[in-house]
Amino acid sequence: MTAPPIGSRRRLPSALASAIDACLEMDPSTRPTVTELAASLGTILPGYGPRTPSSEEPGTGDVATFPRPS
């Protein structure tokens, strides 16, 4: 059974709804990787996105690490 697209049940920007729907795909091989999802969210949500790895500050360069909104 396939769920209806998230955008049909919530008022979300279409790009964000598409990113959520991609994460909820039944076939895991068609879901985005963390890197792909971070890149998508970086284009959708201003101020968010993957960071460049930093050896001086371990953990701050992880793709899934996002800055806190100020």
Side-chain angles (χ1 to χ4, degrees), residues 35 38 47-67:
T35 303
Y48 284 44
R51 295 182 178 182
T52 305
S54 167
S55 59
E56 296 86 36
E57 214 174 322
T60 60
D62 297 343
V63 187
T65 303
F66 296 94

Side-chain angles (χ1 to χ4, degrees), residues 32-52:
T33 64
V34 171
T35 303
E36 293 167 340
L37 180 60
S40 292
L41 293 177
T43 61
I44 298 166
L45 305 170
Y48 284 44
R51 295 182 178 182
T52 305

Side-chain angles (χ1 to χ4, degrees), residues 1-4 26:
M1 180 197 291
T2 303
M26 293 292 289

Side-chain angles (χ1 to χ4, degrees), residues 1-2 21-33:
M1 180 197 291
T2 303
D21 286 335
C23 292
L24 299 175
E25 286 288 331
M26 293 292 289
D27 180 3
S29 68
T30 62
R31 296 177 195 154
T33 64

